[in-house]
Amino acid sequence: MNCKYIDYGSGRHQVFQTPYGAAMTTRLSYASRILYQIVLGTTKISVCLLYIRVFTDRKSILIIHALMGFITIFSVPLTLYVIIHCVPVHDVEPATCHSNSPDLFVSAACNILADVLLIIFVVPQICEFSSSLFNNKTLSNVS
């Protein structure tokens, strides 16, 4: 989708960009932002679903469900905010949108926090698994 920006004048000096090209660039940017928010949320949910298959004890499943809830709670409103805050409906001139800063900062903070929580969850699980695997190999080598 990002390659389509070039068709509508992205990368050219503003003087050479047509009003139609600027409007289409705004529409593509709008669609890209929506798709980006959706992909961020669904990727983290997919990792959580993988963790549910790998870590099957009750405590781990509860933690993973809580993480999935947290990810959903911030992903859905941020996606809706991106959809609602700027709707490029003009055919000839680019739409005016509100500042991008608030949703970008909130999205970055929430996604970084979700990533850190996912790492904090999985690292002890893997270390525990690795140490038990190492002990099993050591015991089998001794006997």
Side-chain angles (χ1 to χ4, degrees):
M1 178 162 44
N2 285 337
C3 294
K4 291 300 286 179
Y5 283 106
I6 296 169
D7 293 341
Y8 298 111
S10 183
R12 295 187 192 127
H13 194 277
Q14 188 175 3
V15 175
F16 300 116
Q17 192 171 28
T18 64
Y20 175 75
M24 291 305 293
T25 300
T26 302
R27 287 183 179 183
L28 284 171
S29 175
Y30 174 68
S32 295
R33 292 274 314 276
I34 293 169
L35 188 61
Y36 180 70
Q37 285 296 332
I38 292 170
V39 167
L40 281 174
T42 55
T43 303
K44 288 175 186 13
I45 295 290
S46 298
V47 170
C48 288
L49 292 172
L50 172 72
Y51 287 172
I52 285 176
R53 291 184 59 138
V54 173
F55 308 111
T56 57
D57 60 297
R58 182 166 171 76
K59 180 182 174 188
S60 295
I61 290 176
L62 287 174
I63 292 170
I64 294 167
H65 280 266
L67 284 170
M68 287 173 64
F70 171 68
I71 292 164
T72 303
I73 286 171
F74 78 78
S75 293
V76 172
L78 280 171
T79 304
L80 292 175
Y81 178 80
V82 170
I83 292 170
I84 293 169
H85 104 284
C86 172
V87 181
V89 293
H90 301 74
D91 285 334
V92 179
E93 62 187 61
T96 56
C97 300
H98 302 289
S99 172
N100 292 333
S101 299
D103 65 315
L104 289 176
F105 288 132
V106 171
S107 175
C110 290
N111 280 296
I112 289 169
L113 179 61
D115 290 338
V116 168
L117 291 173
L118 287 168
I119 290 169
I120 288 172
F121 168 75
V122 79
V123 168
Q125 301 278 346
I126 292 174
C127 289
E128 182 181 311
F129 177 72
S130 296
S131 66
S132 68
L133 186 62
F134 175 75
N135 289 338
N136 289 340
K137 285 184 178 180
T138 305
L139 288 175
S140 66
N141 287 339
V142 170
S143 53

